[in-house]
């Protein structure tokens, strides 16, 4: 088995996520409790079981990170040594922590602040994001470039698969892009329920705040390559790349393709959903073995399979 680790991003969260794991898996509970100590509030009851807070960027980021790391820690004793790590946006912090680049408590503290920066700046600079389902991504980029030349603020934000590109920006300008793409023959576009135009210049102030926040943070060498959404390559300068990540497009599809080219044959997604595993079905070969661990049942099933493989 050559294992690739995937870490869920923001938007994967659900009310009550992780409760069954918290009640039944000691290693998971310990991880969540460690995060709560850093945050200064009970993460499980105050955020994960609060319908309002779990949807807010300032709370959701640390919650998703803690859940992803809690599952990872709970399965650590049966996991083969990973060959690579990859998270989607926020999930990069989970990937970096799992690979030993960031300390767990260090990452929680950073995400507490990152989430607040993005919540505040996003509210002050409201935007919209739309997923464009088309395998002609060059067309989408051309339309957006043409609109930018006209002074419109609409940008490519997420290259999730080679047939799904999310664009973001000011609402009216995103709507203009939707109209242009419709005229060009694109038939499927989906509005996303987000609180801001993430990974666009509308979040520039949050990026500046984060860059200042990260300036004195220490990082360690990874246990295996961690692939950056921003560069689609393994991280080189971690601090500089994370500082730009908020306002740069994510290239998850290209990063996953690069990781798969190293011979990875098994993928496991850790976090509240199976979104990245779904993306992987559009990117990686069909014979790749896939797991997602999001609750007690999937944790138990994955542990059983991994135990059988490693024995």
């Amino acid at each position: 088995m050559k294992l690739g680790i995937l870490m869920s991003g923001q938007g994967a969260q659900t009310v009550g996520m992780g409760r069954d794991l918290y009640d039944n898996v000691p290693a998971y509970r310990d991880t969540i409790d460690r995060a709560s100590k850093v945050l200064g509030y009970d993460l499980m009851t105050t955020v994960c079981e609060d319908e309002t807070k779990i949807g807010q960027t300032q709370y959701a980021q640390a919650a998703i990170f803690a859940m992803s790391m809690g599952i990872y820690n709970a399965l650590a004793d049966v996991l083969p040594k990973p060959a690579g790590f990859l998270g989607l946006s926020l999930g990069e912090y989970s990937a970096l922590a799992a690979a030993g680049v960031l300390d767990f408590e260090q990452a929680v503290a950073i995400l507490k602040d990152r989430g607040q920066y993005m919540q505040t700046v996003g509210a002050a600079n409201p935007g919209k994001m739309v997923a464009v389902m088309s395998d002609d991504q060059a067309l989408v980029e051309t339309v957006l470039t043409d609109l930018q030349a006209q002074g419109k603020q609409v940008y490519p934000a997420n290259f999730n698969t080679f047939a799904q590109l999310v664009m973001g920006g000011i609402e009216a300008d995103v709507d203009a892009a939707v109209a242009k793409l419709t005229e060009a023959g694109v038939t499927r576009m989906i509005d996303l329920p987000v609180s801001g135009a993430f990974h666009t210049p509308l979040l520039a102030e949050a990026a500046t705040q984060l860059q200042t926040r990260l300036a004195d943070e220490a990082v360690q060498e990874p246990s295996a390559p961690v692939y950056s959404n921003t560069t689609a390559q393994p991280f080189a300068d971690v601090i500089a790349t994370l500082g730009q990540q908020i306002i740069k497009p994510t290239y998850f599809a290209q990063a996953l393709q690069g990781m798969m080219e190293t011979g990875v044959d098994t993928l496991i997604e850790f976090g509240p959903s199976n979104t990245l595993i779904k993306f992987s079905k559009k990117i990686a070969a069909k014979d790749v073995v896939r797991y997602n661990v999001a609750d007690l049942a999937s944790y138990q099933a994955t542990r059983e399979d991994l135990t059988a493989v490693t024995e």
Side-chain angles (χ1 to χ4, degrees):
M1 176 187 293
K2 192 165 186 179
L3 177 63
I5 300 296
L6 303 178
M7 294 293 195
S8 297
Q10 190 172 341
Q13 70 269 22
T14 58
V15 181
M17 66 183 197
R19 168 50 74 182
D20 54 355
L21 290 162
Y22 188 88
D23 289 343
N24 293 280
V25 182
Y28 181 89
R29 181 167 57 252
D30 176 67
T31 303
I32 300 299
D33 290 347
R34 286 171 61 193
S36 295
K37 288 180 181 178
V38 176
L39 294 167
Y41 53 78
D42 187 313
L43 187 57
M44 192 68 242
T45 58
T46 303
V47 174
C48 294
E49 296 182 331
D50 185 306
E51 186 172 1
T52 300
K53 286 183 177 177
I54 194 61
Q56 296 178 15
T57 296
Q58 61 183 318
Y59 297 112
Q61 292 195 4
I64 296 165
F65 168 83
M67 181 178 189
S68 300
M69 288 303 299
I71 300 169
Y72 184 81
N73 290 340
L75 285 173
D77 62 317
V78 294
L79 279 177
K81 178 178 168 53
F85 298 83
L86 171 61
L88 177 60
S89 187
L90 160 70
E92 289 191 325
Y93 286 82
S94 307
L96 288 164
V101 177
L102 296 175
D103 175 77
F104 177 81
E105 280 78 10
Q106 174 191 26
V108 173
I110 292 170
L111 288 174
K112 181 180 181 181
D113 293 338
R114 180 182 186 266
Q116 182 63 64
Y117 302 152
M118 293 176 67
Q119 177 94 22
T120 302
V121 174
N125 299 276
K128 179 178 181 178
M129 302 189 82
V130 172
V132 183
M133 309 302 183
S134 170
D135 58 8
D136 191 352
Q137 294 186 339
L139 166 66
V140 180
E141 293 185 87
T142 297
V143 167
L144 298 185
T145 299
D146 290 346
L147 288 171
Q148 290 167 24
Q150 299 170 30
K152 304 292 188 184
Q153 296 184 62
V154 58
Y155 312 91
N158 309 108
F159 292 81
N160 290 332
T161 73
F162 295 109
Q164 184 189 127
L165 191 166
V166 177
M167 58 185 180
I170 293 175
E171 182 173 1
D173 296 348
V174 174
D175 289 343
V178 169
K180 288 289 187 182
L181 289 166
T182 300
E183 290 174 10
V186 177
T187 59
R188 190 175 176 216
M189 290 175 273
I190 302 171
D191 288 7
L192 301 182
V194 295
S195 58
F198 302 140
H199 299 288
T200 76
L202 269 66
L203 272 290
E205 185 180 346
T208 299
Q209 292 172 332
L210 183 61
Q211 288 161 7
T212 301
R213 170 67 176 78
L214 291 172
D216 296 324
E217 294 291 337
V219 298
Q220 308 301 319
E221 289 298 313
S223 59
V226 183
Y227 289 78
S228 161
N229 291 179
T230 306
T231 66
Q233 302 292 325
F235 272 94
D237 188 330
V238 172
I239 297 301
T241 304
L242 290 178
Q244 287 293 311
Q245 182 218 53
I246 291 176
I247 56 172
K248 296 292 186 181
T250 63
Y251 293 94
F252 178 83
Q254 291 82 352
L256 179 58
Q257 185 178 62
M259 186 168 76
M260 300 310 298
E261 287 173 352
T262 68
V264 167
D265 57 22
T266 304
L267 293 170
I268 306 179
E269 179 178 357
F270 297 88
S273 79
N274 63 347
T275 298
L276 304 186
I277 287 297
K278 288 181 178 178
F279 288 167
S280 79
K281 293 178 180 178
K282 306 291 185 180
I283 301 164
K286 291 182 179 179
D287 61 352
V288 170
V289 178
R290 296 171 171 88
Y291 301 91
N292 72 282
V293 190
D295 54 22
L296 182 62
S298 55
Y299 163 79
Q300 291 172 332
T302 303
R303 169 172 279 279
E304 183 175 336
D305 280 4
L306 290 174
T307 300
V309 168
T310 55
E311 281 183 345

